[in-house]
């Protein structure tokens, strides 16, 4: 209705439930808004019975709700005898003021072969975390998709025959985002020296297009692990310890919040573990003696590809 539309024009980006009177029945006193900071105004309203939920509190509630739903499903599977013991992984909020938090995950039983057990190329934790990254789909920025997007081939028939970005509507991007897309980053590669024990970061693949805040702690971990310059991570991130030989994920191992500090032994060894992995990779691919190439365009020489350049 027209009346409702007029009301919506004056809404703040907060969920507010107002009471017209104080708890004792008296009318709330008026405050001079011009003399109050936003924080003081927020507290003034809360002191007078106004229930307010900020966008940050709302997002935290959405993530917690999604994780609880996933955990409830896993508990049901465990009761049916289809799962193994739970493992601990860590939640790294983008807000550096918030502490790290232990989370729990009950992976399905790995499939057994004649020689070993594994998850047959899959990553159940990645599937488990989809619900945590299915939030904020309404924040998708179509302009960022048109500039740089990991899904730039979405809707394209052939990336080799076109040099234009495919047309994708905001509604389509929002539908895709609602499904939850998890990107995995190998913070520590499994090697012979670390008994094939790696550490993975799990992040929102669409975090940049949702304009989520930077996760500075995740970037610090990557830099400590030898990535220079470190990647940029957007939004909340999860970190887990895995055991993996080649492409085969064999199992998950516990990783707790107290272990995730910058001076942790596993993180101090990470750069050497990653160097060992790279050297072995170069040996297997016949690239021994080569050094890591400079980031495209960073050495003063323009790099061109079909349809784009740096």
């Amino acid at each position: 209705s027209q009346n409702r539309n007029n009301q919506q024009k004056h809404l703040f980006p907060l969920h507010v439930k107002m009471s017209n009177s104080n708890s004792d029945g008296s009318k709330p006193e008026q405050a001079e808004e011009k003399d109050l900071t936003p924080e003081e105004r927020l507290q003034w309203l809360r002191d007078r019975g106004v229930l307010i939920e900020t966008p940050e509190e709302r997002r935290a509630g959405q993530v917690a709700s999604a994780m609880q739903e996933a955990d409830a499903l896993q508990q049901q599977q465990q009761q049916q005898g289809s799962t193994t013991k739970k493992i601990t992984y860590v939640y790294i909020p983008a807000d550096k003021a918030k502490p790290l938090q232990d989370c729990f995950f009950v992976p399905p039983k790995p499939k057994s072969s004649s020689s070993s057990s594994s998850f047959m190329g899959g990553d159940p934790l990645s599937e488990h975390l989809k619900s945590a990254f299915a939030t904020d789909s309404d924040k998708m920025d179509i302009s960022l998709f048109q500039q740089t997007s990991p899904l730039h081939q979405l809707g394209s028939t052939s990336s080799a025959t076109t040099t234009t970005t495919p047309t994708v509507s905001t509604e389509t991007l929002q539908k895709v985002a609602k499904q939850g897309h998890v990107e995995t980053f190998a913070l520590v590669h499994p090697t012979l020296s670390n008994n094939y024990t790696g550490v993975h970061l799990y992040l929102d693949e669409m975090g940049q297009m949702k304009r989520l805040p930077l996760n500075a702690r995740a970037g610090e971990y990557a830099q400590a692990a030898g990535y220079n310059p470190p990647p940029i991570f957007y939004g909340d991130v999860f970190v887990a310890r895995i055991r993996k030989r080649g492409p085969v994920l064999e199992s998950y191992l516990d990783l707790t919040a107290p272990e995730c500090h910058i001076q942790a032994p596993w993180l101090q060894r990470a750069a050497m573990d990653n160097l060992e992995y790279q050297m072995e990779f170069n040996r297997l691919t016949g690239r021994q003696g080569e050094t890591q190439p400079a980031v495209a365009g960073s050495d003063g020489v323009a790099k061109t590809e079909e349809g784009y350049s740096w």
Side-chain angles (χ1 to χ4, degrees), residues 19-245:
S19 172
N20 292 326
S21 62
N22 294 327
S23 58
D24 60 359
S26 61
K27 293 294 183 179
E29 60 180 284
Q30 299 297 318
E32 292 293 337
E33 291 191 6
K34 63 181 181 180
D35 297 331
L36 299 178
T37 66
E39 293 77 13
E40 290 172 338
R41 184 178 294 112
L42 188 65
Q43 189 59 48
W44 187 91
L45 291 170
R46 283 175 167 166
D47 290 343
R48 286 153 181 79
V50 181
L51 303 180
I52 300 177
E53 182 185 46
T54 65
E56 292 76 14
E57 292 170 341
R58 187 159 58 252
R59 170 171 168 74
Q62 290 173 335
V63 173
S65 176
M67 295 299 295
Q68 288 173 358
E69 291 178 4
D71 291 341
L73 177 61
Q74 287 198 326
Q75 289 177 1
Q76 180 181 1
Q77 294 174 336
Q78 188 176 26
Q79 292 173 356
Q80 296 172 351
S82 60
T83 56
T84 56
K85 74 178 185 69
K86 68 179 180 181
I87 60 101
T88 305
Y89 63 103
V90 179
Y91 167 53
I92 308 174
D95 185 352
K96 205 169 184 179
K98 295 182 179 179
L100 304 183
Q101 180 180 336
D102 284 344
C103 301
F104 304 96
F105 166 61
V106 183
K109 289 182 178 179
K111 298 179 181 180
S112 300
S113 64
S114 57
S115 58
S116 63
S117 298
S118 69
F119 295 107
M120 304 302 290
D123 188 342
L125 181 54
S126 180
E127 292 295 319
H128 172 75
L129 291 173
K130 280 186 176 181
S131 57
F133 296 132
T135 60
D136 296 323
S137 60
D138 58 327
K139 296 181 180 179
M140 294 293 292
D141 190 334
I142 188 69
S143 65
L144 292 178
F145 174 83
Q146 293 169 345
Q147 296 171 15
T148 56
S149 169
L151 302 179
H152 66 279
Q153 294 184 9
L154 184 65
S156 175
T157 55
S158 174
S159 59
T161 58
T162 180
T163 60
T164 60
T165 303
T167 302
V168 180
S169 67
T170 301
E171 291 75 15
T172 299
L173 277 180
Q174 290 177 346
K175 288 180 180 179
V176 172
K178 284 182 179 179
Q179 300 172 7
H181 290 265
V182 184
E183 180 179 347
T184 303
F185 176 81
L187 183 63
V188 181
H189 288 281
T191 65
L192 179 62
S193 296
N194 61 25
N195 196 23
Y196 299 101
T197 302
V199 177
H200 282 178
L201 295 181
Y202 297 84
L203 56 141
D204 191 338
E205 188 174 15
M206 295 186 169
Q208 182 179 11
M209 286 186 285
K210 293 177 181 178
R211 291 193 177 276
L212 298 180
L214 297 182
N215 195 312
R217 279 183 292 203
E220 291 170 0
Y221 293 157
Q223 187 167 27
Y227 293 94
N228 189 20
I232 298 175
F233 302 100
Y234 295 90
D236 297 335
V237 172
F238 297 86
V239 57
R241 180 176 283 144
I242 53 97
R243 176 159 288 144
K244 186 176 182 180
R245 296 176 189 266

